Amino acid sequence: MLTVVPADPRDPEGRRLLTASHAFLLSKYPPEFSFALSVDELAAPHIRFFIASQDGDALGCVALANKGAYGEVKSMFVDPAARGSGAGAALMQALIAEARTQGLALLRLESGDDLYAAHRLYARHGFTPCGPFGDYVEGPHSVFMECRL
């Protein structure tokens, strides 16, 4: 059974997933175009971190950063061996439910330009293309999306 629960990104499962996520992003994009938050940054009070697990194995993670006027999706990652398992969809459902609980009416995200499976996942959950937001600027490797709740 697949479950998604709030977690501490500093715990071993969170660290393992985040280390794999950061390595993957750095293998694809120059460091100046990688906007991943560190493990400690993801433990900040305004961020909720979730892990999807099945049979005791952590499959993926995602974080919701409450920016006040909107929520930002951060650190969405599913272990390559678990892709297609439904973990990504379960993580997005948990994140959207948490955003609604926090009274957020808008979610935004920045994703790599060639992460097509992620773009499709986001689109299935109501995200549409938008321009840069917050401190982001237009760049060669970024795709920006938002979802009104």
Side-chain angles (χ1 to χ4, degrees):
M1 180 174 168
L2 185 64
T3 60
V4 177
V5 296
D8 186 332
R10 298 167 294 200
D11 287 345
E13 297 88 0
R15 281 190 189 277
R16 180 184 63 78
L17 290 166
L18 292 167
T19 298
S21 174
H22 294 166
F24 173 73
L25 292 173
L26 289 173
S27 77
K28 295 186 70 61
Y29 310 112
E32 64 270 22
F33 295 107
S34 179
F35 305 107
L37 297 178
S38 72
V39 171
D40 289 332
E41 288 171 317
L42 288 167
H46 72 286
I47 296 180
R48 294 280 287 171
F49 182 78
F50 297 90
I51 289 181
S53 299
Q54 188 168 33
D55 299 325
D57 295 325
L59 306 179
C61 61
V62 70
L64 172 65
N66 186 326
K67 300 288 190 168
Y70 61 92
E72 185 177 353
V73 179
K74 297 297 292 181
S75 298
M76 176 66 179
F77 178 75
V78 174
D79 187 293
R83 293 185 184 155
S85 68
L91 287 163
M92 289 305 299
Q93 290 166 357
L95 182 132
I96 290 168
E98 177 64 22
R100 287 187 170 126
T101 297
Q102 292 185 25
L104 296 168
L106 178 65
L107 289 173
R108 291 181 167 153
L109 62 86
E110 181 274 340
S111 181
D113 64 327
D114 59 354
L115 299 178
Y116 306 116
H119 302 166
R120 288 190 299 273
L121 173 69
Y122 300 139
R124 283 194 305 271
H125 286 88
F127 284 80
T128 57
C130 68
F133 58 91
D135 293 334
Y136 294 105
V137 295
E138 200 70 47
H141 300 291
S142 290
V143 168
F144 302 97
M145 302 179 84
E146 67 182 11
C147 175
R148 299 213 176 267
L149 302 180

